[in-house]
Amino acid sequence: MKKIKQISICLLLLASISSIGQTMTSGVVKYKMTSDNEQMAMMGDIIMTNYFDKDNVAVEVDMMGGMVLTKVYKKINEPNSTKMTMDAMGNKYEITEIDENASKGVDMADLDNIVSVTLDKKDTKEIAGYKCYKASVTYKEDKTGEFYVTDNIQMMNSTKENKLKGFPLEMTIVTPQATLNLIATEVSKDLPKEAFIVPEGFEKVTMEEFQEKMGG
Protein backbone atom coordinates (compact mmCIF):
# COMPACT_ATOMS: atom_id res chain seq x y z
CA MET A 1 0.00 0.00 0.00
CA LYS A 2 2.87 2.37 0.80
CA LYS A 3 4.39 1.70 -2.64
CA ILE A 4 1.06 2.43 -4.37
CA LYS A 5 0.79 5.75 -2.54
CA GLN A 6 4.31 6.77 -3.54
CA ILE A 7 3.77 5.89 -7.21
CA SER A 8 0.41 7.70 -7.40
CA ILE A 9 1.81 10.95 -6.00
CA CYS A 10 4.95 10.65 -8.13
CA LEU A 11 2.89 10.32 -11.32
CA LEU A 12 0.85 13.40 -10.50
CA LEU A 13 3.94 15.47 -9.76
CA LEU A 14 5.78 14.29 -12.90
CA ALA A 15 2.91 15.05 -15.12
CA SER A 16 2.93 17.98 -13.80
CA ILE A 17 -2.97 17.62 -20.52
CA SER A 18 -14.19 18.12 -31.70
CA SER A 19 -13.61 19.23 -35.03
CA ILE A 20 -10.34 20.38 -36.51
CA GLY A 21 -10.14 24.14 -36.92
CA GLN A 22 -12.12 24.99 -33.79
CA THR A 23 -10.39 25.94 -30.55
CA MET A 24 -11.41 23.75 -27.63
CA THR A 25 -11.45 25.57 -24.26
CA SER A 26 -13.11 22.92 -22.09
CA GLY A 27 -13.25 19.17 -22.26
CA VAL A 28 -11.44 15.94 -21.52
CA VAL A 29 -8.13 14.57 -22.76
CA LYS A 30 -7.28 10.98 -21.92
CA TYR A 31 -3.68 9.70 -22.09
CA LYS A 32 -2.04 6.30 -21.92
CA MET A 33 1.06 6.48 -19.76
CA THR A 34 4.15 4.28 -19.93
CA SER A 35 7.47 4.45 -18.09
CA ASP A 36 10.81 2.71 -17.81
CA ASN A 37 10.46 2.84 -14.02
CA GLU A 38 10.18 -0.74 -12.77
CA GLN A 39 7.70 0.01 -9.98
CA MET A 40 5.40 1.93 -12.32
CA ALA A 41 5.57 -0.88 -14.88
CA MET A 42 4.33 -3.30 -12.21
CA MET A 43 1.12 -1.25 -11.95
CA GLY A 44 0.04 -2.39 -15.42
CA ASP A 45 -1.75 0.00 -17.81
CA ILE A 46 -1.82 3.54 -16.41
CA ILE A 47 -4.46 5.95 -17.73
CA MET A 48 -4.27 9.68 -17.02
CA THR A 49 -7.31 11.86 -17.69
CA ASN A 50 -7.19 15.65 -17.78
CA TYR A 51 -10.45 17.59 -17.24
CA PHE A 52 -10.49 21.36 -17.76
CA ASP A 53 -12.61 24.45 -18.30
CA LYS A 54 -11.99 28.19 -17.90
CA ASP A 55 -11.99 28.00 -14.08
CA ASN A 56 -10.94 24.47 -13.09
CA VAL A 57 -8.56 21.66 -13.85
CA ALA A 58 -8.46 18.10 -12.55
CA VAL A 59 -6.04 15.25 -13.25
CA GLU A 60 -6.97 11.63 -12.61
CA VAL A 61 -4.58 8.66 -12.60
CA ASP A 62 -6.06 5.16 -12.97
CA MET A 63 -3.81 2.20 -12.13
CA MET A 64 -4.28 -1.56 -11.89
CA GLY A 65 -7.47 -1.54 -13.93
CA GLY A 66 -9.29 0.88 -11.64
CA MET A 67 -8.19 -0.72 -8.36
CA VAL A 68 -6.18 2.41 -7.55
CA LEU A 69 -7.65 5.77 -8.56
CA THR A 70 -6.02 9.08 -7.63
CA LYS A 71 -7.39 12.50 -8.58
CA VAL A 72 -6.24 16.08 -7.97
CA TYR A 73 -8.69 19.00 -8.17
CA LYS A 74 -7.71 22.67 -8.46
CA LYS A 75 -9.30 26.04 -9.21
CA ILE A 76 -6.95 27.70 -11.69
CA ASN A 77 -6.63 31.06 -9.93
CA GLU A 78 -6.79 29.69 -6.36
CA PRO A 79 -3.56 27.79 -5.55
CA ASN A 80 -4.78 26.91 -2.03
CA SER A 81 -7.89 25.19 -3.40
CA THR A 82 -6.05 21.98 -4.28
CA LYS A 83 -7.56 18.71 -3.08
CA MET A 84 -6.55 15.12 -3.78
CA THR A 85 -8.56 11.92 -3.48
CA MET A 86 -7.31 8.36 -3.49
CA ASP A 87 -9.39 5.19 -3.74
CA ALA A 88 -6.96 2.32 -3.18
CA MET A 89 -8.81 -0.99 -3.23
CA GLY A 90 -11.74 0.44 -1.25
CA ASN A 91 -9.71 2.66 1.08
CA LYS A 92 -11.04 6.14 0.24
CA TYR A 93 -9.33 9.34 1.39
CA GLU A 94 -9.70 13.04 0.57
CA ILE A 95 -6.40 14.77 1.31
CA THR A 96 -6.46 18.45 2.25
CA GLU A 97 -3.75 20.95 3.26
CA ILE A 98 -1.68 20.09 0.17
CA ASP A 99 1.41 22.31 -0.04
CA GLU A 100 2.13 24.65 -2.95
CA ASN A 101 4.74 22.40 -4.57
CA ALA A 102 2.41 19.40 -4.60
CA SER A 103 -0.40 21.49 -6.04
CA LYS A 104 1.73 22.25 -9.10
CA GLY A 105 1.42 18.58 -10.03
CA VAL A 106 -2.02 19.29 -11.48
CA ASP A 107 -0.61 21.77 -14.02
CA MET A 108 -0.10 19.94 -17.29
CA ALA A 109 3.53 19.85 -18.48
CA ASP A 110 4.82 21.58 -15.30
CA LEU A 111 4.47 25.00 -16.97
CA ASP A 112 5.83 27.07 -14.09
CA ASN A 113 9.26 25.41 -14.27
CA ILE A 114 9.86 25.68 -18.02
CA VAL A 115 13.05 27.61 -18.92
CA SER A 116 12.87 27.44 -22.71
CA VAL A 117 10.87 25.95 -25.57
CA THR A 118 12.22 25.25 -29.07
CA LEU A 119 9.56 24.68 -31.74
CA ASP A 120 9.94 22.64 -34.92
CA LYS A 121 6.72 23.08 -36.91
CA LYS A 122 8.12 20.94 -39.74
CA ASP A 123 8.17 17.90 -37.43
CA THR A 124 4.47 16.99 -37.25
CA LYS A 125 2.24 14.03 -36.46
CA GLU A 126 -1.48 13.44 -36.00
CA ILE A 127 -2.58 12.46 -32.51
CA ALA A 128 -6.21 11.73 -31.53
CA GLY A 129 -7.36 13.52 -34.68
CA TYR A 130 -5.29 16.70 -34.14
CA LYS A 131 -2.28 17.82 -36.15
CA CYS A 132 0.60 18.40 -33.73
CA TYR A 133 4.11 19.81 -34.03
CA LYS A 134 7.24 19.24 -31.96
CA ALA A 135 8.23 21.32 -28.93
CA SER A 136 11.52 20.60 -27.12
CA VAL A 137 11.41 21.79 -23.51
CA THR A 138 14.04 22.46 -20.84
CA TYR A 139 13.20 22.95 -17.17
CA LYS A 140 14.74 24.68 -14.16
CA GLU A 141 15.25 21.30 -12.56
CA ASP A 142 17.17 18.30 -13.93
CA LYS A 143 14.42 17.40 -16.38
CA THR A 144 13.75 17.69 -20.12
CA GLY A 145 10.68 17.21 -22.27
CA GLU A 146 9.86 16.40 -25.88
CA PHE A 147 6.26 17.28 -26.67
CA TYR A 148 3.93 17.25 -29.66
CA VAL A 149 1.44 20.09 -29.24
CA THR A 150 -1.67 21.41 -30.98
CA ASP A 151 -2.93 24.98 -31.21
CA ASN A 152 -6.55 23.79 -31.39
CA ILE A 153 -6.90 23.04 -27.66
CA GLN A 154 -6.51 25.79 -25.08
CA MET A 155 -6.36 25.18 -21.35
CA MET A 156 -6.33 28.23 -19.09
CA ASN A 157 -3.38 28.61 -16.72
CA SER A 158 -2.64 31.07 -13.96
CA THR A 159 1.03 31.34 -14.97
CA LYS A 160 1.68 34.93 -16.09
CA GLU A 161 4.13 33.93 -18.80
CA ASN A 162 3.31 30.61 -20.42
CA LYS A 163 6.31 29.60 -22.53
CA LEU A 164 4.54 26.53 -23.92
CA LYS A 165 1.85 27.96 -26.19
CA GLY A 166 0.41 24.74 -27.60
CA PHE A 167 -1.46 22.00 -25.75
CA PRO A 168 0.52 18.73 -25.45
CA LEU A 169 -1.08 15.58 -26.83
CA GLU A 170 2.15 13.63 -26.53
CA MET A 171 4.76 14.13 -23.81
CA THR A 172 8.05 12.41 -23.14
CA ILE A 173 9.49 13.67 -19.87
CA VAL A 174 12.99 12.58 -18.82
CA THR A 175 14.04 12.86 -15.16
CA PRO A 176 16.90 11.23 -13.21
CA GLN A 177 14.33 8.82 -11.72
CA ALA A 178 12.43 7.77 -14.84
CA THR A 179 11.38 8.46 -18.40
CA LEU A 180 7.64 9.05 -18.64
CA ASN A 181 5.66 8.96 -21.88
CA LEU A 182 2.05 10.07 -22.29
CA ILE A 183 0.13 9.95 -25.55
CA ALA A 184 -3.46 11.09 -25.98
CA THR A 185 -5.88 8.31 -26.92
CA GLU A 186 -9.11 10.33 -26.69
CA VAL A 187 -10.12 14.00 -26.87
CA SER A 188 -13.70 15.05 -26.11
CA LYS A 189 -15.63 18.28 -25.61
CA ASP A 190 -18.13 16.41 -23.42
CA LEU A 191 -17.05 17.49 -19.93
CA PRO A 192 -18.85 15.50 -17.19
CA LYS A 193 -20.85 17.67 -14.77
CA GLU A 194 -19.14 16.00 -11.80
CA ALA A 195 -15.60 16.43 -13.18
CA PHE A 196 -14.57 18.97 -10.51
CA ILE A 197 -16.70 17.70 -7.60
CA VAL A 198 -15.21 15.47 -4.91
CA PRO A 199 -17.63 12.52 -4.54
CA GLU A 200 -19.19 11.43 -1.25
CA GLY A 201 -17.76 8.65 0.88
CA PHE A 202 -14.14 9.82 1.22
CA GLU A 203 -12.57 10.24 4.66
CA LYS A 204 -11.04 13.72 5.02
CA VAL A 205 -7.43 13.63 6.22
CA THR A 206 -4.36 15.87 6.11
CA MET A 207 -1.37 14.78 4.03
CA GLU A 208 0.43 13.78 7.23
CA GLU A 209 -2.52 11.66 8.38
CA PHE A 210 -2.81 10.13 4.92
CA GLN A 211 0.85 9.11 4.90
CA GLU A 212 0.44 7.44 8.32
CA LYS A 213 -2.60 5.48 7.13
CA MET A 214 -0.78 4.36 3.99
CA GLY A 215 2.28 3.13 5.85
CA GLY A 216 4.43 6.27 6.20
Side-chain angles (χ1 to χ4, degrees):
M1 191 71 75
K2 178 179 178 181
K3 192 171 292 184
I4 290 172
K5 177 205 72 175
Q6 291 172 334
I7 291 172
S8 296
I9 295 175
C10 177
L11 289 175
L12 288 165
L13 295 179
L14 281 173
S16 316
I17 87 155
S18 76
S19 59
I20 303 302
Q22 295 181 343
T23 300
M24 177 175 160
T25 56
S26 67
V28 182
V29 181
K30 183 175 290 187
Y31 299 85
K32 182 178 180 180
M33 182 187 304
T34 57
S35 175
D36 62 358
N37 180 277
E38 185 176 346
Q39 290 183 341
M40 290 184 191
M42 290 174 62
M43 295 294 102
D45 288 342
I46 300 174
I47 305 300
M48 189 174 106
T49 307
N50 182 28
Y51 307 87
F52 62 97
D53 63 15
K54 64 183 180 65
D55 299 312
N56 305 275
V57 61
V59 177
E60 182 179 79
V61 176
D62 182 334
M63 298 187 296
M64 299 175 65
M67 293 178 66
V68 180
L69 194 65
T70 306
K71 190 172 181 179
V72 172
Y73 308 76
K74 180 181 176 181
K75 291 187 179 297
I76 291 170
N77 292 308
E78 298 179 27
N80 295 327
S81 67
T82 304
K83 298 178 182 179
M84 183 172 80
T85 58
M86 176 180 278
D87 182 349
M89 292 173 283
N91 297 294
K92 297 183 177 183
Y93 301 105
E94 177 186 343
I95 302 97
T96 59
E97 299 181 20
I98 298 175
D99 64 37
E100 184 179 356
N101 288 329
S103 72
K104 290 180 181 179
V106 77
D107 294 326
M108 293 298 291
D110 197 9
L111 297 175
D112 287 339
N113 285 320
I114 289 178
V115 174
S116 66
V117 177
T118 302
L119 302 179
D120 183 357
K121 293 192 175 184
K122 293 182 179 180
D123 187 339
T124 64
K125 62 171 68 176
E126 185 173 307
I127 303 170
Y130 287 80
K131 185 178 180 180
C132 300
Y133 57 89
K134 186 176 180 181
S136 300
V137 177
T138 58
Y139 290 91
K140 293 177 184 177
E141 300 171 351
D142 189 10
K143 180 169 63 175
T144 60
E146 183 177 286
F147 300 168
Y148 282 87
V149 302
T150 176
D151 293 327
N152 289 320
I153 301 176
Q154 184 179 44
M155 186 173 74
M156 299 298 292
N157 188 274
S158 59
T159 307
K160 292 181 180 179
E161 184 182 358
N162 183 357
K163 292 184 174 66
L164 185 67
K165 302 302 180 184
F167 187 95
L169 290 180
E170 181 175 346
M171 295 179 277
T172 300
I173 301 172
V174 180
T175 75
Q177 294 78 30
T179 297
L180 189 68
N181 179 262
L182 298 93
I183 185 165
T185 58
E186 182 181 338
V187 178
S188 174
K189 289 184 177 180
D190 296 327
L191 184 65
K193 293 181 180 179
E194 69 277 10
F196 309 115
I197 300 173
V198 176
E200 299 291 334
F202 285 76
E203 179 185 352
K204 290 189 177 183
V205 294
T206 64
M207 180 62 80
E208 183 178 352
E209 291 169 338
F210 171 69
Q211 290 175 336
E212 290 176 358
K213 289 177 177 291
M214 299 293 283

